[in-house]
Each structure stands twice: as structure tokens, then as C-alpha cells.
Amino acid sequence: MLNTNSEFLRPEIMDVLRLFNAEDEEFTHYFSYGACEYHNCIEYRGQFYDRLDKQWTEDELEYKRYAKRFAKLAFYNLLSSVTGIKLPYGALTGIRPTKLAYTEIAAGRDFKKLFEECSVSAENISHVQRILEVQKPYYANGGGQNLFVSLPFCPTKCEYCSFITAPISATRKYVDGYVDCVRREIESVAPFLTNLKSVYIGGGTPFAIEAKQLERIYAAINALSIKNTEYTVEAGRPDVFIEEKLKLTKDYGVTRICINPQSFNDGTLVKIGRKHTCADVYAAFEMSEKYGFDINVDLIAGLADERLADFENSLNRAIALKPANITVHTLSLKSGARLKENCNRLVIEDIGAMLALSRNMLTAAGYNPYYMYRQKYQAGGHENCGWSLAGKECVYNIDVMEEIADNVAVGANAISKKLFDNDERIERYASPKDIPSYIAKVDKIIEERNKLFGI
């Protein structure tokens, strides 16, 4: 139980308490500010802890930013000292460490100094630095728009998944109406797309719908000006790959696809609710490779009861395929996922070793980290990271994670983002999550997004 005299700091403090599984313990927190001094006093287990920081600020927004930072540092340092636990990203709780680094750089400061103050590990500071180096040409080319198309259909729902997806057997009746609505949305956003940098069709598992339905989406996109535009389809699980859909995808100009095995261990696939095998992954890869796509392969560290050797097996197999990208996710508890219903904490003994191994093996194989993000309730406080061969980075992933371009998003649970004031301010518009509500409200969705983008 957290008692604090500053409610605006509660969410930030609770994020730190969750990192240490301490949110149910008793804390009394007093915050005061004056003469540019931020004072945090914490009573915990009968002891008092004080932290005093001095920082001049220009305005209310900056004052609150520092107040949140210093409060988090006070609680992190206290709990780290008491428990002896040092977390990989220290007191940083935001989902985009790289964006914070860019903010420091833009202010003329060395981001590494702040990260060290926040107790970020030396390995992770170097990891962030590597990502910034790879992103340089892409970051310099910010602006423009990216188009996201949501196709939230899957063969089954995995135990860790929090997306709105449901088994296609239960949602098939909505697909034709859904496709009609998405086509209308795509047509409506054409005036916004004056400098389209990428198209990304995500899921779910887009290949879960029928080829003729998929083609209707492709045709609507091709009515836009997409020449020389990066074009990705997150095709998804290997058991839905067929020649007809791959050929169709190639014919409509798609340049990148994703094959998402998550693990190359058949026992793990059964446990998480997948209906495919490791052999299906190889078959899907072989089928796709001949069309000349850049291919991304997704893995998740910490799945089911996997240990370090299991994850190493998946890494070895993924690297041997030599895809353009390999994305390594860390298992996370997410609201709405079956996994979160069955456990409150993720305690995975080998998770730190798994992430360290992935960095070493992927680097040795010629891959570079090029984007990353974090999630709440992520095992061990680690991250998700995309790795690519040189020149094979995904523009969409960089732009969206660093928020350096407008994101025009269509479909259920799609979130559009518009940048204002030299990228200092972002406004969002989110579509309804469930498919029937989305279909019923598509006219209002189009109207509201038009307002956001000034049409």
C-alpha cells in the first residue's frame, strides 16, 4: 500500500514497486519542492529514507518530468539497497529507452550520464548506443507517414497474447464486413499520405483470412501511391502459409514478410497453444524465400518452461536460416492473456542469460540491434529488440518506436498518431478494440481521424 501526498507521482512510483514485487507493502511517501529542490522522504519498515535533488526547470511540464524521475530514483535506490537486486534498466520504467536517450541528446547532454544515474547496466547503455548508431540515417529522415493496417485474425489464441484476436473459427463470419470497412478507411486516409514511407499489415495473423479477402486489402492499398515504399505483411504463423497467398503477396508488391515461430521446440509450441511444428517453420521459410522477400523471424525468450538450452536451440535454428531480421521478445504478462490469468509474477531463472546469449550470438552472426521497446510486467525487466543484417532494417519499426513520423492506422484496435510542434507533441486516435464495435462505428472512426489529420 502506497501512501503519498503527491498523487501525480503515484503511477511512476507504482511502476518501480512492481519491479520489486513490492506494490503490496506499506510505504509512506512525502514529496516537497521549493527553491529548485526536489525532496522525497520515504518511510518503509519503520525506517526513513531521504533524497534531495536540485534541478532548475523552465516550465510546469519540465518540473513534473523531473519530479517523476527523482521520485522513481528515490524508490529504486531504496529497494535495490534493501533487496540487493539490480535491474537491467535500473529506475527506467518507460517503454522507449532510446527515445529518452534522444531527448537528452537533443538537449545537448550525454544520455549515458542520465542512464548511469538511473542505474542502467553498462551492457544496456552500450546496447542503446549501438541502436542509436544503426538508426542514424533513419532518424535523420524522420517525418512523413507510415500506414498500419490491422487484420486481427488468428488460427488460435496463444496463452501469452493480449491482442483482440480470437480463433478464426469464431470470427470468420465478420471477415467480409471487416474487409469492407478497412477498404473504406484506406480510401479515406489517402489525402493524409503525402510522403508515405512504409505500409505494415499486422495482426493477428493476416494470412489467416482467405486469399480473396486478402487480395481486396492489397488492391485498396495499391490504389494509393506506394511506389518505392517499404511494404510489410506480418504473415504470421507458419501453418497458414500457402503458395497462393505468397504469390498474391508478391504480385501486389510486398517487400517484407514475418514468419513467427516464437520457438523452434515442438513441446513449447504445444504448451503455448500453437498448432504448428518446427518442421512447419522450415516449410514456410522455404516456400517464402523463393519469392525474394526480406523475412523477419520472431522468437520469445522465457516461453513455457524453456531453459537456456531450449532458447539457444531456437536461436541457432533461426540464425541458420539467415533471415533479414530476427526479433527477440522477452515474455511479458499482459492484461487479457490467459498467461496473466494463471500467474501473477514471471519468475524465469534463465531470462537474463537468454537475453545476453541472444546479443552475443546475433552479433557474432552479423546482426545489429536496430530498435527496441519495453513492456510492463516483462520478465526480469528486460526488453524486446529487433536485429537486422546491414541495410535490412525495417523503417516502419524504427519510425513507430521512436515516434518520428505520423502513424496512420486503420482497422480494429488501430491507433493513429499525429506529430505536432516539431515532434514535441503527439495526439492519438484509437479505434474500438472488438471487431463488431469497429464495424458498427466505422463512419465515426473516419470522421474523427479526419479531424486529427486536419481534413
Side-chain angles (χ1 to χ4, degrees), residues 122-413:
E123 293 81 5
N124 281 339
I125 293 174
S126 295
H127 188 61
V128 169
Q129 181 67 61
R130 286 185 68 187
I131 292 170
L132 300 187
E133 287 297 320
V134 175
Q135 286 186 354
K136 272 185 179 179
Y138 301 96
Y139 202 83
N141 191 35
Q145 307 86 31
N146 299 288
L147 174 64
F148 176 79
V149 179
S150 171
L151 294 182
F153 305 96
C154 272
T156 60
K157 187 161 184 172
C158 297
E159 70 161 4
Y160 55 80
C161 180
S162 65
F163 290 150
I164 59 168
T165 53
I168 189 69
S169 58
T171 55
R172 186 173 283 110
K173 61 186 176 182
Y174 298 116
V175 177
D176 284 330
Y178 185 87
V179 169
D180 288 339
C181 292
V182 169
R183 283 173 56 86
R184 287 183 57 199
E185 280 205 87
I186 292 170
E187 182 179 352
S188 76
V189 302
F192 315 153
L193 306 178
T194 56
N195 178 22
L196 184 61
K197 297 167 68 178
S198 73
V199 176
Y200 194 103
I201 301 178
T205 303
F207 271 19
I209 66 176
E210 300 296 328
K212 62 182 179 181
Q213 296 163 333
L214 195 59
E215 183 171 18
R216 296 183 64 217
I217 298 292
Y218 289 165
I221 292 170
N222 273 32
L224 306 171
S225 178
I226 61 169
K227 189 177 182 181
N228 299 321
T229 298
E230 177 188 276
Y231 191 170
T232 304
V233 174
E234 191 180 3
R237 302 190 197 181
D239 47 323
V240 296
F241 277 58
I242 60 173
E243 290 281 358
E244 181 185 10
K245 292 177 186 176
L246 286 166
K247 184 177 185 305
L248 183 70
T249 299
K250 181 66 175 180
D251 289 345
Y252 273 90
V254 173
T255 57
R256 311 174 71 95
I257 65 168
C258 305
I259 301 174
N260 300 334
Q262 316 303 27
S263 173
F264 280 79
N265 300 299
D266 285 341
T268 300
L269 296 173
V270 172
K271 290 177 183 177
I272 65 174
R274 290 293 184 105
K275 299 299 184 184
H276 67 83
T277 65
C278 179
D280 293 327
V281 178
Y282 286 109
F285 197 94
E286 183 179 357
M287 198 185 307
S288 305
E289 197 172 29
K290 65 189 179 187
Y291 289 97
F293 297 116
D294 286 335
I295 299 175
N296 177 77
V297 171
D298 273 17
L299 299 175
I300 300 179
L303 280 178
D305 301 315
E306 287 197 347
R307 302 302 297 268
L308 183 60
D310 300 309
F311 186 62
E312 183 175 9
N313 173 62
S314 291
L315 280 169
N316 275 320
R317 288 172 178 257
I319 289 169
L321 290 171
K322 296 192 183 301
N325 283 198
I326 297 177
T327 305
V328 177
H329 300 268
T330 302
L331 187 64
S332 178
L333 284 180
K334 303 175 185 178
S335 298
R338 291 199 311 273
L339 180 64
K340 197 170 192 300
E341 295 172 1
N342 297 328
C343 71
N344 295 320
R345 308 284 184 205
L346 283 175
V347 180
I348 301 171
E349 182 179 339
D350 294 336
I351 196 66
M354 290 179 185
L355 270 291
L357 182 67
S358 71
R359 292 182 184 182
N360 291 336
M361 289 179 62
L362 287 165
T363 297
Y367 290 85
N368 291 305
Y370 77 98
Y371 83 100
M372 66 168 290
Y373 64 102
R374 301 177 67 217
Q375 295 170 292
K376 286 186 178 181
Y377 309 110
Q378 199 152 30
H382 291 281
E383 82 278 349
N384 306 317
C385 185
W387 295 75
S388 74
L389 297 174
K392 296 295 184 178
E393 296 80 14
C394 178
V395 171
Y396 178 85
N397 286 334
I398 295 173
D399 280 4
V400 168
M401 286 303 155
E402 304 307 338
E403 298 182 318
I404 55 174
D406 292 341
N407 192 42
V408 181
V410 304
N413 201 31

Side-chain angles (χ1 to χ4, degrees), residues 380-445:
H382 291 281
E383 82 278 349
N384 306 317
C385 185
W387 295 75
S388 74
L389 297 174
K392 296 295 184 178
E393 296 80 14
C394 178
V395 171
Y396 178 85
N397 286 334
I398 295 173
D399 280 4
V400 168
M401 286 303 155
E402 304 307 338
E403 298 182 318
I404 55 174
D406 292 341
N407 192 42
V408 181
V410 304
N413 201 31
I415 302 175
S416 294
K417 298 180 183 180
K418 173 69 176 172
L419 307 185
F420 296 92
D421 303 331
N422 295 318
D423 301 350
E424 291 294 319
R425 179 169 62 89
I426 299 174
E427 291 189 15
R428 297 167 172 82
Y429 179 77
S431 299
K433 292 184 177 182
D434 71 287
I435 293 171
S437 296
Y438 163 75
I439 292 173
K441 297 178 180 179
V442 69
D443 289 331
K444 182 179 180 182
I445 292 167

